[in-house]
Amino acid sequence: MTISQASSGPDGPRPDPADWRALNRAMWDERVPIHTGSGFYDVPGFLAGAEVLRPFELTEVGDVDGRRLLHLQCHFGQDTLGWARHGAAVTGLDFSASAVAAAEELAREAGLPDARFVTADVYEAANVLAGEVFDVVYTGLGALCWLPDIERWAQTAAAMVAPGGFLYLAEFHPVTDMLGDDGRTVEYDYFHQEATVWDEPGTYTDYVEEPQITVSVQWQHGLGEILSAIAAAGLRIEFVHEHDFTLFPRFAALETVTEGVTRVYRFPEGRPRVPMVYSVRAARPR
Ligand SMILES: C[S@@+](CC[C@H](N)C(=O)[O-])C[C@H]1O[C@@H](n2cnc3c(N)ncnc32)[C@H](O)[C@@H]1O
């Protein structure tokens, strides 16, 4: 994986991290048709009935039948609709209008017309949803690195958890962000707080045409920072699970293992492991 910090933008000077929202939204808008057409997301397989949610998420979230579920940063809604197939009354929210349009189209094609999708910045979610609350507020893998302020995210997400409901977060483990591609060497600062402007080719899915927009602004958030923010937002942390697998070939040594319908990546037998994914459930007491 070639990743470099941007010294210049596509057309000149270094992009300003203060423009993170516009820069990131443009990048995500462009990624939507690339991702919906990718083998990674396999939309035809989903439409044919394949399970898209990871087994650990299904186990840890539990029965969602008849429950109100809000998916923050839902991308083009495939995972959101996966929860709808398990009986949840779903709302997906994303700041990319093209992602939301693709999600609405996918809901129609999947025969799930009651799924609702909303275009909004995650920080505006509680305002846009006008005080609505949900039994499950779900955030899936690859979401928090796009957000500058984790305390504000946690407060926003917690405000939408109904009494007796919970926030469920599954994310890539921040330990993986400090290691080099060999999965052993500490190359990056775990505690780095500043925005990082990345200029990286491609995207995490397969693609036919190279994406044109390569600049994005991202943040690292440590596990302690995230868990403390969730607790400070008034939720009671029920568990934090650290997993020894990930969902993409983050390190050169990882081996692909197919577990049920999910392809995961693990260190080979005998090699010291690091946590690569974590999941948290945090409840609002009744
Ligand atoms: C990696 S995707 C989430 C992936 C999701 N787990 C999946 O595989 O479908 C990240 C999503 O966050 C959205 N996003 C990034 N920043 C956002 C923000 N500030 N407000 C709302 N959505 C945002 C992007 O548009 C994108 O759809």
Side-chain angles (χ1 to χ4, degrees):
M1 183 166 42
T2 312
I3 301 179
S4 61
Q5 292 190 37
S7 53
S8 64
D11 301 309
R14 191 177 192 280
D16 185 348
D19 297 334
W20 64 270
R21 190 175 277 114
L23 289 165
N24 290 348
R25 190 159 43 204
M27 191 211 71
W28 281 109
D29 283 346
E30 194 203 28
R31 296 297 182 274
V32 170
I34 299 171
H35 289 184
T36 54
S38 69
F40 178 92
Y41 279 105
D42 186 19
V43 170
F46 168 73
L47 289 173
E51 178 61 77
V52 288
L53 298 164
R54 279 59 55 182
F56 75 96
E57 295 179 302
L58 291 166
T59 304
E60 293 177 352
V61 171
D63 185 10
V64 294
D65 193 16
R67 308 194 81 193
R68 299 161 292 178
L69 182 145
L70 171 64
H71 182 180
L72 296 173
Q73 296 175 252
C74 68
H75 202 23
F76 67 90
Q78 192 161 261
D79 287 355
T80 326
L81 296 170
W83 290 115
R85 278 194 180 149
H86 286 277
V90 299
T91 301
L93 180 142
D94 201 284
F95 75 167
S96 161
S98 58
V100 166
E104 288 170 342
E105 174 64 21
L106 189 60
R108 274 191 292 277
E109 289 178 50
L112 296 163
D114 294 338
R116 174 176 60 155
F117 291 95
V118 177
T119 304
D121 191 278
V122 73
Y123 290 124
E124 291 304 316
N127 294 336
V128 169
L129 294 169
E132 226 179 300
V133 291
F134 298 84
D135 304 306
V136 182
V137 175
Y138 165 77
T139 294
L141 297 132
L144 297 190
C145 63
W146 306 103
L147 305 181
D149 185 339
I150 284 302
E151 285 185 0
R152 194 170 157 212
W153 165 79
Q155 284 158 9
T156 307
M160 295 180 291
V161 177
F166 59 84
L167 168 70
Y168 179 82
L169 166 68
E171 257 301 359
F172 296 113
H173 203 295
V175 157
T176 61
D177 294 332
M178 70 183 198
L179 298 176
D181 285 348
D182 65 0
R184 293 177 191 271
T185 316
V186 177
E187 286 187 16
Y188 306 100
D189 179 12
Y190 182 81
F191 295 100
H192 185 75
Q193 291 281 307
E194 303 304 312
T196 303
V197 179
W198 295 106
D199 189 355
E200 46 189 333
T203 178
Y204 57 87
T205 71
D206 49 303
Y207 50 88
V208 179
E209 281 186 32
E210 184 84 35
Q212 297 301 300
I213 300 177
T214 54
V215 171
S216 67
V217 186
Q218 299 182 39
W219 288 265
Q220 259 173 239
H221 300 293
L223 199 56
E225 177 191 352
I226 294 162
L227 298 177
S228 298
I230 293 171
L235 301 181
R236 189 176 63 81
I237 294 175
E238 295 183 321
F239 61 72
V240 182
H241 292 159
E242 295 173 288
H243 304 278
D244 66 354
F245 57 83
T246 187
L247 301 171
F248 70 108
R250 170 65 186 90
F251 303 120
L254 297 182
E255 292 178 346
T256 313
V257 187
T258 302
E259 297 184 348
V261 293
T262 305
R263 189 161 30 147
V264 300
Y265 296 82
R266 290 181 190 279
F267 283 102
E269 188 78 29
R271 224 192 105 151
R273 296 168 295 166
V274 297
M276 294 187 280
V277 165
Y278 69 95
S279 45
V280 181
R281 202 171 80 180
R284 176 172 298 293
R286 284 183 195 281

Coordinates of all heavy atoms in Angstrom, one line a residue, residues 201-283:
P201 N -3.2 7.0 -3.9 CA -3.9 6.5 -5.1 C -4.9 5.4 -4.8 O -4.8 4.8 -3.7 CB -2.7 6.0 -6.0 CG -1.7 5.5 -5.0 CD -1.8 6.4 -3.8
G202 N -5.8 5.2 -5.7 CA -6.7 4.0 -5.6 C -7.7 4.2 -4.5 O -8.0 5.2 -4.0
T203 N -8.3 3.0 -4.1 CA -9.2 3.0 -3.0 C -9.1 1.6 -2.4 O -8.4 0.7 -2.9 CB -10.7 3.3 -3.5 OG1 -11.6 3.1 -2.4 CG2 -11.1 2.4 -4.6
Y204 N -9.8 1.3 -1.3 CA -9.7 0.0 -0.7 C -10.4 -1.1 -1.4 O -10.3 -2.3 -1.0 CB -10.1 0.1 0.8 CG -11.5 0.5 1.1 CD1 -12.5 -0.4 1.1 CD2 -11.8 1.8 1.3 CE1 -13.8 0.0 1.4 CE2 -13.1 2.3 1.6 CZ -14.1 1.4 1.6 OH -15.4 1.8 1.8
T205 N -11.2 -0.8 -2.4 CA -11.8 -1.9 -3.2 C -11.1 -2.1 -4.5 O -10.2 -1.2 -4.8 CB -13.3 -1.5 -3.5 OG1 -13.3 -0.5 -4.5 CG2 -14.1 -1.1 -2.3
D206 N -11.4 -3.1 -5.2 CA -10.9 -3.2 -6.6 C -11.7 -2.2 -7.4 O -12.7 -1.7 -7.0 CB -11.3 -4.6 -7.1 CG -12.7 -5.0 -6.8 OD1 -13.1 -5.0 -5.6 OD2 -13.5 -5.3 -7.8
Y207 N -11.1 -1.8 -8.5 CA -11.7 -0.8 -9.4 C -11.3 -0.9 -10.8 O -10.2 -1.5 -11.1 CB -11.4 0.6 -8.9 CG -10.0 0.9 -8.6 CD1 -9.1 1.4 -9.6 CD2 -9.4 0.7 -7.4 CE1 -7.8 1.6 -9.4 CE2 -8.1 0.9 -7.1 CZ -7.3 1.4 -8.1 OH -5.9 1.7 -7.9
V208 N -12.1 -0.4 -11.7 CA -11.8 -0.5 -13.2 C -11.0 0.7 -13.6 O -10.0 0.7 -14.2 CB -13.1 -0.7 -14.0 CG1 -12.8 -0.7 -15.5 CG2 -13.9 -1.9 -13.5
E209 N -11.6 1.9 -13.1 CA -10.9 3.2 -13.5 C -10.3 3.8 -12.2 O -11.0 3.8 -11.2 CB -11.9 4.1 -14.1 CG -12.2 3.8 -15.5 CD -13.0 4.9 -16.2 OE1 -13.0 6.0 -15.8 OE2 -13.8 4.5 -17.1
E210 N -9.1 4.2 -12.3 CA -8.4 4.9 -11.2 C -9.2 6.1 -10.7 O -9.6 7.0 -11.5 CB -7.0 5.3 -11.7 CG -6.1 5.9 -10.7 CD -5.3 4.8 -9.9 OE1 -5.0 3.8 -10.5 OE2 -5.1 5.1 -8.7
P211 N -9.5 6.1 -9.3 CA -10.1 7.4 -8.8 C -9.2 8.6 -9.1 O -8.0 8.5 -9.0 CB -10.2 7.1 -7.3 CG -10.0 5.6 -7.2 CD -9.2 5.1 -8.3
Q212 N -9.9 9.7 -9.4 CA -9.2 11.0 -9.7 C -8.9 11.8 -8.4 O -8.0 12.5 -8.4 CB -10.0 11.8 -10.6 CG -10.3 11.2 -12.0 CD -8.9 10.8 -12.7 OE1 -8.1 11.7 -13.0 NE2 -8.7 9.6 -12.9
I213 N -9.8 11.6 -7.4 CA -9.6 12.4 -6.2 C -8.8 11.6 -5.2 O -9.3 10.6 -4.7 CB -11.0 12.9 -5.6 CG1 -11.7 13.7 -6.7 CG2 -10.8 13.7 -4.3 CD1 -13.1 14.2 -6.3
T214 N -7.6 12.1 -4.9 CA -6.7 11.2 -4.1 C -6.4 11.9 -2.7 O -5.8 11.2 -1.9 CB -5.4 11.1 -4.8 OG1 -4.9 12.4 -5.1 CG2 -5.5 10.3 -6.1
V215 N -6.9 13.1 -2.5 CA -6.6 13.8 -1.2 C -7.7 13.6 -0.2 O -8.9 13.7 -0.5 CB -6.3 15.3 -1.5 CG1 -6.2 16.0 -0.2 CG2 -5.0 15.4 -2.3
S216 N -7.3 13.3 1.0 CA -8.3 13.2 2.1 C -7.6 13.7 3.4 O -6.4 13.8 3.5 CB -8.9 11.8 2.3 OG -7.8 11.0 2.7
V217 N -8.5 14.0 4.4 CA -8.0 14.5 5.7 C -8.5 13.5 6.7 O -9.7 13.2 6.8 CB -8.5 15.9 6.0 CG1 -7.9 16.4 7.3 CG2 -8.2 16.8 4.9
Q218 N -7.5 12.9 7.5 CA -7.9 11.9 8.5 C -7.3 12.2 9.9 O -6.3 12.9 10.0 CB -7.5 10.5 8.0 CG -8.1 10.2 6.7 CD -7.7 8.8 6.2 OE1 -7.6 7.8 6.9 NE2 -7.5 8.6 4.9
W219 N -7.9 11.5 10.9 CA -7.4 11.6 12.2 C -7.2 10.3 12.8 O -7.9 9.3 12.5 CB -8.4 12.4 13.1 CG -8.4 13.9 12.8 CD1 -7.7 14.9 13.4 CD2 -9.2 14.5 11.7 NE1 -8.1 16.1 12.8 CE2 -8.9 15.9 11.8 CE3 -10.1 14.0 10.8 CZ2 -9.5 16.8 10.9 CZ3 -10.7 14.9 9.9 CH2 -10.4 16.3 10.0
Q220 N -6.2 10.2 13.7 CA -6.0 9.0 14.5 C -6.7 9.2 15.9 O -6.5 10.3 16.4 CB -4.5 8.8 14.8 CG -3.8 7.8 14.0 CD -2.4 7.8 14.2 OE1 -1.6 8.1 13.3 NE2 -1.9 7.6 15.4
H221 N -7.4 8.2 16.4 CA -7.9 8.3 17.7 C -7.6 7.0 18.5 O -7.9 5.9 18.0 CB -9.5 8.4 17.6 CG -9.9 9.6 16.8 ND1 -9.7 10.9 17.3 CD2 -10.5 9.7 15.6 CE1 -10.2 11.8 16.4 NE2 -10.7 11.1 15.3
G222 N -7.0 7.2 19.6 CA -6.5 6.1 20.4 C -7.8 5.4 21.1 O -8.8 6.1 21.3
L223 N -7.6 4.2 21.5 CA -8.7 3.4 22.1 C -9.2 4.1 23.4 O -10.4 4.2 23.7 CB -8.2 2.0 22.4 CG -9.3 1.0 22.6 CD1 -10.3 0.9 21.5 CD2 -8.7 -0.4 22.9
G224 N -8.2 4.6 24.2 CA -8.6 5.3 25.5 C -9.4 6.5 25.2 O -10.4 6.8 25.9
E225 N -9.0 7.3 24.2 CA -9.8 8.5 23.8 C -11.2 8.2 23.4 O -12.2 8.8 23.9 CB -9.0 9.2 22.7 CG -9.7 10.4 22.1 CD -9.0 10.9 20.8 OE1 -8.0 10.3 20.4 OE2 -9.6 11.8 20.2
I226 N -11.4 7.1 22.7 CA -12.7 6.7 22.2 C -13.6 6.2 23.3 O -14.7 6.6 23.5 CB -12.6 5.7 21.0 CG1 -11.9 6.3 19.8 CG2 -13.9 5.1 20.6 CD1 -11.3 5.3 18.9
L227 N -13.0 5.3 24.1 CA -13.8 4.7 25.2 C -14.2 5.8 26.2 O -15.3 5.8 26.8 CB -13.0 3.6 25.8 CG -12.7 2.4 24.9 CD1 -11.9 1.3 25.6 CD2 -14.0 1.8 24.4
S228 N -13.2 6.7 26.5 CA -13.5 7.7 27.5 C -14.6 8.7 27.0 O -15.4 9.1 27.8 CB -12.2 8.5 27.8 OG -11.2 7.7 28.3
A229 N -14.6 8.9 25.7 CA -15.6 9.8 25.1 C -17.0 9.2 25.2 O -18.0 9.9 25.5 CB -15.2 10.1 23.7
I230 N -17.0 7.9 25.0 CA -18.3 7.2 25.1 C -18.8 7.2 26.5 O -20.0 7.5 26.8 CB -18.2 5.7 24.5 CG1 -17.9 5.8 23.0 CG2 -19.4 4.9 24.8 CD1 -17.5 4.4 22.4
A231 N -17.9 6.9 27.4 CA -18.3 6.9 28.9 C -18.8 8.3 29.3 O -19.8 8.5 30.0 CB -17.2 6.4 29.7
A232 N -18.0 9.3 28.9 CA -18.3 10.7 29.3 C -19.6 11.2 28.7 O -20.3 12.1 29.2 CB -17.2 11.6 28.8
A233 N -20.1 10.5 27.6 CA -21.3 10.9 27.0 C -22.5 10.3 27.7 O -23.7 10.4 27.2 CB -21.3 10.5 25.5
G234 N -22.3 9.5 28.8 CA -23.4 9.0 29.6 C -23.8 7.6 29.3 O -24.8 7.1 29.9
L235 N -23.0 6.9 28.5 CA -23.4 5.5 28.2 C -22.5 4.6 29.1 O -21.4 4.9 29.5 CB -23.1 5.2 26.7 CG -23.9 6.0 25.7 CD1 -23.6 5.6 24.3 CD2 -25.4 6.0 26.0
R236 N -23.1 3.4 29.4 CA -22.4 2.4 30.2 C -21.7 1.4 29.3 O -22.4 0.7 28.6 CB -23.3 1.8 31.2 CG -22.6 0.9 32.2 CD -23.7 0.3 33.2 NE -24.6 -0.6 32.6 CZ -24.4 -1.8 32.3 NH1 -23.2 -2.4 32.6 NH2 -25.3 -2.6 31.7
I237 N -20.4 1.3 29.3 CA -19.7 0.4 28.4 C -20.0 -1.0 28.9 O -19.6 -1.4 30.1 CB -18.2 0.7 28.4 CG1 -18.1 2.1 27.7 CG2 -17.4 -0.3 27.6 CD1 -16.7 2.7 27.6
E238 N -20.5 -1.8 28.0 CA -20.9 -3.2 28.4 C -19.7 -4.2 28.1 O -19.5 -5.1 28.8 CB -22.1 -3.7 27.7 CG -23.4 -2.9 28.1 CD -24.6 -3.4 27.4 OE1 -24.5 -3.8 26.2 OE2 -25.7 -3.5 28.1
F239 N -19.1 -3.9 26.9 CA -17.9 -4.7 26.6 C -17.0 -4.0 25.6 O -17.5 -3.1 24.9 CB -18.2 -6.1 26.1 CG -19.0 -6.2 24.8 CD1 -18.5 -5.8 23.6 CD2 -20.3 -6.6 24.9 CE1 -19.2 -5.9 22.4 CE2 -21.1 -6.7 23.7 CZ -20.6 -6.3 22.5
V240 N -15.7 -4.3 25.6 CA -14.8 -3.9 24.5 C -14.1 -5.2 24.1 O -13.4 -5.8 24.9 CB -13.7 -2.9 25.1 CG1 -12.8 -2.5 23.9 CG2 -14.4 -1.7 25.7
H241 N -14.3 -5.6 22.9 CA -13.7 -6.8 22.4 C -12.6 -6.4 21.4 O -12.8 -5.6 20.5 CB -14.7 -7.7 21.7 CG -15.7 -8.3 22.7 ND1 -16.9 -8.8 22.3 CD2 -15.6 -8.5 24.0 CE1 -17.5 -9.3 23.3 NE2 -16.8 -9.1 24.4
E242 N -11.4 -7.0 21.6 CA -10.3 -6.8 20.6 C -10.2 -8.1 19.8 O -10.1 -9.2 20.4 CB -9.0 -6.4 21.3 CG -9.2 -5.1 22.1 CD -8.0 -4.8 22.9 OE1 -7.8 -5.5 24.0 OE2 -7.2 -3.9 22.6
H243 N -10.1 -8.0 18.5 CA -10.1 -9.1 17.6 C -8.8 -9.3 16.9 O -8.1 -8.3 16.6 CB -11.2 -9.0 16.5 CG -12.6 -8.7 17.2 ND1 -13.4 -9.7 17.6 CD2 -13.3 -7.6 17.4 CE1 -14.5 -9.2 18.1 NE2 -14.5 -7.9 18.0
D244 N -8.4 -10.6 16.7 CA -7.1 -10.9 16.1 C -7.2 -11.0 14.5 O -6.3 -11.6 13.9 CB -6.6 -12.2 16.7 CG -7.4 -13.4 16.3 OD1 -8.5 -13.3 15.7 OD2 -6.9 -14.5 16.7
F245 N -8.3 -10.5 14.0 CA -8.4 -10.5 12.5 C -8.7 -9.1 12.0 O -9.1 -8.2 12.8 CB -9.5 -11.5 12.1 CG -10.8 -11.2 12.7 CD1 -11.7 -10.2 12.1 CD2 -11.3 -11.8 13.8 CE1 -12.9 -9.9 12.7 CE2 -12.5 -11.5 14.4 CZ -13.3 -10.6 13.8
T246 N -8.6 -8.9 10.7 CA -9.1 -7.7 10.1 C -9.7 -8.0 8.8 O -9.9 -9.2 8.5 CB -7.9 -6.6 9.9 OG1 -8.5 -5.4 9.5 CG2 -6.9 -7.1 8.9
L247 N -10.2 -7.0 8.0 CA -11.0 -7.3 6.9 C -10.3 -6.9 5.6 O -11.0 -7.0 4.5 CB -12.4 -6.6 7.0 CG -13.1 -7.0 8.3 CD1 -14.3 -6.1 8.5 CD2 -13.6 -8.5 8.2
F248 N -9.1 -6.5 5.7 CA -8.4 -6.2 4.4 C -6.9 -6.5 4.7 O -6.5 -6.7 5.8 CB -8.6 -4.8 4.0 CG -7.9 -3.7 4.9 CD1 -6.8 -3.0 4.4 CD2 -8.4 -3.5 6.1 CE1 -6.2 -2.1 5.2 CE2 -7.8 -2.5 7.0 CZ -6.7 -1.8 6.5
P249 N -6.1 -6.7 3.6 CA -4.7 -7.1 3.8 C -3.8 -6.0 4.4 O -2.9 -5.5 3.7 CB -4.3 -7.6 2.4 CG -5.2 -6.9 1.5 CD -6.5 -6.7 2.2
R250 N -4.0 -5.6 5.6 CA -3.4 -4.5 6.2 C -1.8 -4.7 6.3 O -1.1 -3.8 6.1 CB -3.9 -4.2 7.6 CG -3.2 -3.2 8.5 CD -3.2 -1.8 7.9 NE -2.4 -0.9 8.6 CZ -1.1 -0.7 8.3 NH1 -0.5 -1.3 7.4 NH2 -0.4 0.2 9.0
F251 N -1.4 -5.9 6.6 CA 0.0 -6.2 6.7 C 0.4 -7.3 5.8 O -0.4 -8.2 5.5 CB 0.4 -6.7 8.2 CG 0.0 -5.7 9.2 CD1 -0.9 -6.0 10.2 CD2 0.5 -4.4 9.2 CE1 -1.3 -5.1 11.2 CE2 0.2 -3.5 10.2 CZ -0.7 -3.8 11.2
A252 N 1.6 -7.3 5.3 CA 2.1 -8.2 4.2 C 1.9 -9.7 4.7 O 1.6 -10.5 3.9 CB 3.5 -7.9 3.9
A253 N 2.1 -9.9 6.0 CA 2.2 -11.3 6.4 C 0.8 -12.0 6.6 O 0.7 -13.2 6.8 CB 2.9 -11.4 7.8
L254 N -0.2 -11.2 6.5 CA -1.6 -11.7 6.9 C -2.0 -12.8 5.9 O -1.7 -12.7 4.7 CB -2.6 -10.6 6.9 CG -2.4 -9.5 8.0 CD1 -3.5 -8.5 8.0 CD2 -2.3 -10.1 9.4
E255 N -2.7 -13.8 6.4 CA -3.2 -14.8 5.5 C -4.8 -14.7 5.5 O -5.4 -14.3 6.4 CB -3.0 -16.2 6.2 CG -1.5 -16.6 6.1 CD -1.2 -17.9 6.8 OE1 -2.1 -18.4 7.5 OE2 -0.1 -18.4 6.6
T256 N -5.3 -15.0 4.3 CA -6.7 -14.9 4.1 C -7.4 -16.2 4.6 O -7.0 -17.3 4.3 CB -7.0 -14.8 2.6 OG1 -6.2 -13.9 2.0 CG2 -8.5 -14.4 2.4
V257 N -8.4 -16.0 5.4 CA -9.2 -17.2 5.9 C -10.6 -16.9 5.7 O -11.1 -15.8 5.9 CB -9.0 -17.3 7.5 CG1 -9.6 -18.6 8.0 CG2 -7.5 -17.2 7.9
T258 N -11.3 -17.8 5.1 CA -12.8 -17.6 4.9 C -13.5 -18.3 6.0 O -13.3 -19.5 6.3 CB -13.2 -18.2 3.5 OG1 -12.4 -17.6 2.5 CG2 -14.7 -18.0 3.2
E259 N -14.3 -17.5 6.7 CA -15.0 -18.0 7.9 C -16.5 -17.8 7.6 O -17.0 -16.6 7.6 CB -14.6 -17.2 9.1 CG -13.1 -17.4 9.5 CD -12.7 -16.8 10.8 OE1 -13.4 -16.0 11.3 OE2 -11.5 -17.1 11.2
G260 N -17.2 -18.9 7.3 CA -18.6 -18.8 6.8 C -18.6 -18.0 5.5 O -17.8 -18.4 4.6
V261 N -19.3 -16.9 5.5 CA -19.4 -16.1 4.2 C -18.4 -14.9 4.3 O -18.3 -14.1 3.4 CB -20.8 -15.6 4.0 CG1 -21.7 -16.7 3.7 CG2 -21.3 -14.8 5.2
T262 N -17.7 -14.8 5.4 CA -16.8 -13.6 5.5 C -15.3 -14.0 5.3 O -14.8 -15.0 5.8 CB -17.0 -13.0 7.0 OG1 -18.3 -12.8 7.2 CG2 -16.2 -11.8 7.1
R263 N -14.6 -13.1 4.5 CA -13.2 -13.3 4.3 C -12.5 -12.4 5.3 O -12.7 -11.2 5.4 CB -12.8 -12.9 2.9 CG -11.4 -13.3 2.6 CD -11.1 -13.4 1.1 NE -11.9 -12.5 0.4 CZ -11.5 -11.9 -0.7 NH1 -10.3 -12.1 -1.2 NH2 -12.3 -11.1 -1.4
V264 N -11.6 -13.0 6.2 CA -10.9 -12.3 7.1 C -9.4 -12.5 6.9 O -9.0 -13.4 6.2 CB -11.3 -12.6 8.6 CG1 -12.8 -12.3 8.8 CG2 -10.9 -14.0 9.0
Y265 N -8.6 -11.6 7.5 CA -7.1 -11.7 7.4 C -6.5 -11.9 8.8 O -6.9 -11.1 9.7 CB -6.6 -10.4 6.7 CG -7.1 -10.2 5.3 CD1 -8.4 -9.7 5.1 CD2 -6.4 -10.7 4.2 CE1 -8.9 -9.6 3.8 CE2 -6.9 -10.6 2.9 CZ -8.1 -10.0 2.7 OH -8.6 -9.9 1.5
R266 N -5.7 -12.9 8.9 CA -5.1 -13.2 10.2 C -3.6 -13.4 10.1 O -3.1 -13.7 9.0 CB -5.6 -14.5 10.8 CG -7.0 -14.5 11.2 CD -7.4 -15.9 11.7 NE -8.8 -16.0 12.0 CZ -9.4 -15.6 13.0 NH1 -8.8 -15.0 14.0 NH2 -10.7 -15.7 13.2
F267 N -2.8 -13.2 11.2 CA -1.4 -13.6 11.2 C -1.3 -15.1 11.1 O -2.2 -15.8 11.7 CB -0.7 -13.1 12.4 CG -0.4 -11.6 12.4 CD1 -1.2 -10.7 13.1 CD2 0.6 -11.1 11.6 CE1 -1.0 -9.3 13.0 CE2 0.9 -9.7 11.6 CZ 0.1 -8.8 12.3
P268 N -0.3 -15.6 10.4 CA -0.1 -17.1 10.4 C 0.1 -17.7 11.7 O 0.6 -17.0 12.6 CB 1.1 -17.2 9.5 CG 1.6 -15.9 9.1 CD 0.8 -14.9 9.8
E269 N -0.2 -18.9 11.9 CA 0.0 -19.7 13.1 C 1.4 -19.5 13.6 O 2.3 -19.5 12.8 CB -0.3 -21.2 12.7 CG -0.3 -22.2 13.8 CD -1.6 -22.1 14.6 OE1 -2.6 -21.8 13.9 OE2 -1.6 -22.5 15.8
G270 N 1.5 -19.2 14.9 CA 2.8 -19.1 15.5 C 3.4 -17.7 15.5 O 4.4 -17.5 16.2
R271 N 2.8 -16.8 14.7 CA 3.4 -15.4 14.7 C 2.7 -14.6 15.8 O 1.5 -14.7 15.9 CB 3.2 -14.8 13.3 CG 4.4 -14.0 12.9 CD 4.2 -13.2 11.7 NE 4.1 -11.8 12.1 CZ 4.5 -10.8 11.3 NH1 4.9 -11.0 10.1 NH2 4.4 -9.6 11.7
P272 N 3.4 -13.7 16.5 CA 2.7 -12.9 17.5 C 1.7 -12.1 16.9 O 1.9 -11.5 15.8 CB 3.9 -12.0 18.1 CG 5.1 -12.7 17.7 CD 4.9 -13.5 16.4
R273 N 0.5 -12.0 17.5 CA -0.6 -11.3 17.0 C -0.7 -9.9 17.6 O -0.3 -9.7 18.8 CB -1.9 -12.1 17.2 CG -1.9 -13.4 16.5 CD -3.0 -14.3 16.9 NE -2.9 -14.6 18.3 CZ -3.9 -15.2 19.1 NH1 -5.1 -15.4 18.5 NH2 -3.7 -15.5 20.3
V274 N -1.3 -9.0 16.9 CA -1.8 -7.7 17.5 C -3.3 -7.5 17.2 O -3.8 -8.2 16.3 CB -1.0 -6.5 16.8 CG1 0.5 -6.6 17.1 CG2 -1.3 -6.4 15.3
P275 N -4.0 -6.8 18.0 CA -5.4 -6.6 17.8 C -5.6 -5.7 16.5 O -4.8 -4.7 16.3 CB -5.9 -5.8 19.0 CG -4.7 -5.1 19.5 CD -3.5 -6.0 19.2
M276 N -6.5 -6.1 15.6 CA -6.6 -5.4 14.4 C -8.0 -4.8 14.2 O -8.2 -3.9 13.4 CB -6.3 -6.3 13.2 CG -4.8 -6.7 13.2 SD -4.3 -7.6 11.8 CE -4.9 -9.2 12.1
V277 N -9.0 -5.3 15.0 CA -10.4 -4.7 15.0 C -10.8 -4.7 16.4 O -10.4 -5.6 17.2 CB -11.3 -5.7 14.1 CG1 -12.8 -5.4 14.3 CG2 -11.0 -5.5 12.6
Y278 N -11.6 -3.8 16.8 CA -12.3 -3.9 18.1 C -13.7 -3.5 18.0 O -14.2 -3.0 17.0 CB -11.6 -2.9 19.1 CG -11.8 -1.4 18.8 CD1 -12.9 -0.7 19.5 CD2 -11.1 -0.8 17.9 CE1 -13.1 0.6 19.2 CE2 -11.3 0.6 17.6 CZ -12.3 1.2 18.2 OH -12.6 2.5 17.9
S279 N -14.5 -3.9 19.0 CA -15.9 -3.6 19.0 C -16.3 -3.3 20.4 O -15.8 -3.8 21.4 CB -16.7 -4.8 18.5 OG -16.3 -6.0 19.0
V280 N -17.3 -2.3 20.5 CA -17.7 -1.8 21.8 C -19.2 -1.8 21.8 O -19.8 -1.4 20.8 CB -17.2 -0.3 21.9 CG1 -17.7 0.3 23.3 CG2 -15.8 -0.2 21.7
R281 N -19.8 -2.1 22.9 CA -21.2 -1.9 23.1 C -21.4 -1.1 24.4 O -20.8 -1.5 25.4 CB -22.0 -3.2 23.1 CG -23.5 -3.0 22.8 CD -24.2 -4.3 22.6 NE -24.6 -4.8 23.9 CZ -25.3 -6.0 24.1 NH1 -25.6 -6.7 23.0 NH2 -25.6 -6.4 25.3
A282 N -22.2 0.0 24.2 CA -22.4 0.9 25.4 C -23.8 1.3 25.5 O -24.4 1.8 24.5 CB -21.5 2.1 25.2
A283 N -24.4 1.0 26.6 CA -25.9 1.1 26.8 C -26.3 2.4 27.5 O -25.6 3.0 28.3 CB -26.4 -0.1 27.5

